[in-house]
């Protein structure tokens, strides 16, 4: 399914879905209360999710990493975040 940004925003609103976007500078997901309906938006490792889509997110979340590590693989980061969401459920 392909949606424009405004169509996606309307879908989130109509369906009562809270959007979280991932970002290297995002809040630590540990301990954040999980919304009843959640969509997690992940971008690629270089460009992220993009400014327009990030603006739709209620919060940007990330995974704290060691100082000498540049970034995590996007699939690994998404897995860690989803684990924390379920764990804190």
């Amino acid at each position: 399914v392909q949606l424009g940004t405004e169509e996606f925003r309307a879908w989130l609103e109509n369906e009562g879905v809270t959007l979280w976007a991932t970002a290297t500078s995002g809040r630590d997901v540990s301990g954040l209360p999980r919304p009843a309906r959640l969509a997690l938006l992940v971008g690629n490792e270089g460009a992220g999710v993009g400014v327009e889509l990030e603006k739709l997110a209620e919060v940007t979340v990330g995974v704290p990493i060691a100082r000498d590590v540049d970034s995590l693989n996007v699939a690994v980061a998404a897995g860690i975040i989803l684990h924390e969401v379920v764990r804190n459920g």
Side-chain angles (χ1 to χ4, degrees):
V1 174
Q2 190 171 18
L3 298 174
T5 304
E6 283 306 309
E7 292 169 309
F8 184 47
R9 183 201 53 74
W11 179 83
L12 291 167
E13 191 174 293
N14 291 337
E15 298 297 322
V17 175
T18 299
L19 180 65
W20 287 1
T22 58
T24 55
S25 60
R27 290 178 54 186
D28 182 356
V29 70
S30 299
L32 283 179
R34 181 177 69 183
R37 300 192 72 195
L38 173 65
L40 180 65
L41 183 63
V42 296
N44 69 35
E45 294 156 23
V49 299
V51 175
E52 279 189 54
L53 290 173
E54 190 173 325
K55 287 179 183 177
L56 295 179
E58 183 174 306
V59 66
T60 55
V61 296
V63 178
I65 57 175
R67 290 182 190 174
D68 59 339
V69 176
D70 291 329
S71 67
L72 295 175
N73 171 282
V74 67
V76 171
I80 292 169
I81 291 168
L82 291 172
H83 171 78
E84 286 297 315
V85 166
V86 171
R87 188 173 73 90
N88 293 328

